[in-house]
Amino acid sequence: MLSLDTLDITDEQLYTDRGYPYQEWDLLRREAPVFWYERPGFEPFWVLTKHEDIAWVSRNTKLFSSAQRVTVDTAEAVEMLEAELEQRAQMFAHSPTDPPALSYMDSPRHRHLRQLMAPCFTPKAVSALEQRFASLAASYVEEFTGRLDQDGSADVARHLSARLPVAAICELVGAPVEDWDSIFNWTEGTTAAADPEYRLEGEDAEAAFRRNITALNGYVAGLVQQRMAAADGTGTDVLSRLAAGRIDGRPLAFHEILYTVFNLIVAGIGTTRNATTGGIQALLNHPEQLRRLAGDPSLLDSAVEEILRWTTIALHFVRTCTKDTEIRGRRIRKGETVALWYPSGNRDEDVFDHPYRFDITRENNAQIAFGGHGEHVCLGSHLARLELRAVLRAVLPLLSELELVRDPDSSVLHLQVAEIKRLVVRRKK
């Protein structure tokens, strides 16, 4: 019987077998919204499941730091990450304690680095890409339709949803079109190394991870070197801005630019691809909502927000408490870890009417799929929305003709990102 003593929200296999543990999160929100979680294989941490608390911690970045860690992981995963950081440090001659990504930084460094890239991600900058994305999305849907008609079925995840996120992030960093497929394959192999399907014969998870991350690191390193050599302050893509940027009067180090671009690629491709796939799945599973959207395309913006809430691809981030404090009467001590579970916040009954209803007309949708509030909210949130809108607008006329062949093949990567590996569809018989 499910109870606070028996619930488990850290077993990745359970996510694969059953999907998100919504029953467990519901129980936690009702009975223990601030819960001290102790399970084998993990260092104990606080679980936050209420929308209000997640947003509050996200805003209070001085009280809750990102610099120590950003995810809960098994000892094996931590060991793999630490080994990778040590290897990187030796390769690029810097301290292994240097932050490996923007998400590991506190301000002012976080704010300054983010400001260098922000002009590429503002609503105005993103809106300038609308026609380009619409054209790309239309061509991808045309190719997808051709594959569907030729083979009788097609995989939404790989043959449609993956295409625009790869194109978008690669264009933003200036990667040539001929390299896009390789970048996608390396990214998948890095984030999903634990999945046997992403390994070569005889490889274990660590070997697959190292093979792919070495290839992606090497490729990105070459891009960074080219752009740093040519940096004259006139480039407008993300990589050019980083190469020409200054923080406190000093240029960024090679490894800082490398890690920033690397993580933009990995994060920018995976999350939006999975949200798009999950959104298409939700529409196919809710034909009344699909018909409503097809009949009134003005609902596209609210449909995107509902898809983001419904799918909530980013599972959690953690923060480290820097000063003793209280949340809902529970004492959080300095140095303790607090985990923010976004899918639970996006099903919070105190915020969303009928949270388990997929409703593309939902008003005042305060979804926190992009990481709550505060300075760590996803830099690419406007870009992700534009990508979703472009693909949905292009594929909408086709969706009413399609049906799912089987349940999707899914997994969870490091308890951080929900991965929809395959979503196979066919024309209705």
Side-chain angles (χ1 to χ4, degrees):
M1 181 177 178
L2 183 63
S3 70
L4 295 178
D5 292 329
T6 62
L7 65 81
D8 188 342
I9 61 171
T10 50
D11 186 338
E12 291 185 10
Q13 190 60 47
L14 290 180
Y15 286 78
T16 301
D17 295 341
R18 299 186 318 170
Y20 283 4
Y22 282 117
Q23 285 186 317
E24 287 82 347
W25 288 328
D26 290 348
L27 177 64
L28 286 167
R29 287 197 308 275
R30 287 195 309 269
E31 298 187 11
V34 184
F35 179 68
W36 185 242
Y37 188 89
E38 296 185 76
R39 298 294 185 270
F42 294 86
E43 292 185 9
F45 59 91
W46 291 99
V47 171
L48 268 59
T49 49
K50 295 288 290 181
H51 186 285
E52 178 184 4
D53 301 334
I54 293 169
W56 184 78
V57 168
S58 299
R59 288 193 301 267
N60 286 274
T61 53
K62 289 185 178 179
L63 188 55
F64 294 96
S65 169
S66 300
Q68 289 75 26
R69 59 192 302 198
V70 296
T71 61
V72 294
D73 282 302
T74 62
E76 291 80 4
V78 171
E79 184 177 339
M80 187 183 297
L81 175 61
E82 290 177 346
E84 170 59 25
L85 295 180
E86 184 68 38
Q87 184 181 42
R88 283 194 198 179
Q90 293 177 2
M91 184 181 302
F92 300 115
H94 66 82
S95 169
T97 61
D98 284 359
L102 184 68
S103 57
Y104 281 83
M105 297 179 190
D106 291 328
S107 283
R109 189 72 182 182
H110 175 274
R111 182 174 64 254
H112 292 157
L113 182 56
R114 187 177 173 117
Q115 286 172 343
L116 291 178
M117 297 182 285
C120 295
F121 295 96
T122 63
K124 182 178 179 181
V126 167
S127 66
L129 300 170
E130 187 166 3
Q131 288 188 340
R132 169 66 171 157
F133 281 12
S135 176
L136 286 171
S139 68
Y140 297 150
V141 170
E142 184 178 356
E143 292 175 14
F144 181 78
T145 303
R147 181 183 294 272
L148 189 69
D149 292 337
Q150 177 180 325
D151 299 337
S153 64
D155 179 6
V156 171
R158 188 167 187 87
H159 300 137
L160 179 60
S161 300
R163 303 294 301 281
L164 189 55
V166 172
I169 204 68
C170 286
E171 286 199 346
L172 279 173
V173 301
V177 174
E178 60 268 23
D179 297 337
W180 291 1
D181 285 345
S182 294
I183 290 171
F184 173 72
N185 290 329
W186 293 327
T187 301
E188 289 294 279
T190 296
T191 57
D195 189 331
E197 292 190 20
Y198 291 94
R199 303 180 204 164
L200 299 178
E201 185 175 353
E203 277 188 332
D204 59 13
E206 183 173 359
F209 174 81
R210 294 203 176 283
R211 172 174 55 83
N212 285 286
I213 201 170
T214 298
L216 186 56
N217 261 329
Y219 177 82
V220 176
L223 281 183
V224 173
Q225 288 170 338
Q226 293 171 15
R227 213 61 55 84
M228 290 182 76
D232 59 4
T234 62
T236 57
D237 63 85
V238 173
L239 183 45
S240 293
R241 290 181 183 278
L242 291 169
R246 299 290 187 273
I247 295 179
D248 296 331
R250 298 180 180 179
L252 273 66
F254 171 79
H255 73 273
E256 290 180 291
I257 301 175
L258 172 65
Y259 298 166
T260 300
V261 174
F262 177 93
N263 285 285
L264 279 175
I265 291 173
V266 171
I269 292 174
T271 52
T272 309
R273 173 172 60 85
N274 285 296
T276 303
T277 304
I280 290 174
Q281 179 190 3
L283 288 167
L284 293 177
N285 284 336
H286 298 83
E288 76 289 350
Q289 296 293 308
L290 175 56
R291 286 192 296 270
R292 197 164 190 174
L293 182 58
D296 185 2
S298 71
L299 293 173
L300 195 57
D301 284 348
S302 61
V304 165
E305 295 305 308
E306 181 68 348
I307 285 170
L308 291 169
R309 184 192 74 87
W310 188 257
T311 59
T312 316
I313 297 303
L315 280 167
H316 86 283
F317 274 105
V318 305
R319 303 288 183 260
T320 302
C321 187
T322 62
K323 180 182 178 182
D324 288 5
T325 189
E326 284 191 3
I327 303 177
R328 296 184 186 267
R330 301 302 302 271
R331 187 178 181 84
I332 314 294
R333 299 185 182 278
K334 179 180 179 180
E336 291 180 338
T337 299
V338 175
L340 316 176
W341 294 89
Y342 305 116
S344 176
N346 275 340
R347 293 294 193 278
D348 191 336
E349 303 83 353
D350 291 341
V351 177
F352 304 98
D353 292 332
H354 305 290
Y356 286 95
R357 176 189 297 169
F358 179 68
D359 181 5
I360 65 167
T361 67
R362 188 180 296 276
E363 298 180 355
N364 303 316
N365 191 337
Q367 56 85 11
I368 50 174
F370 290 117
H373 305 280
E375 63 183 38
H376 278 278
V377 69
C378 176
L379 179 65
S381 60
H382 300 300
L383 182 68
R385 287 183 172 97
L386 180 63
E387 293 174 45
L388 266 169
R389 284 198 301 270
V391 174
L392 289 176
R393 184 179 288 112
V395 79
L396 193 56
L398 176 66
L399 286 187
S400 60
E401 303 175 15
L402 303 182
E403 63 183 5
L404 298 177
V405 173
R406 57 180 181 271
D407 290 337
D409 296 329
S410 303
S411 64
V412 165
L413 309 175
H414 304 297
L415 294 172
Q416 191 171 21
V417 175
E419 175 86 359
I420 303 176
K421 297 191 296 181
R422 277 178 297 276
L423 184 72
V424 182
V425 298
R426 64 189 174 202
R427 291 190 185 274
K428 292 178 180 177
K429 295 182 178 179

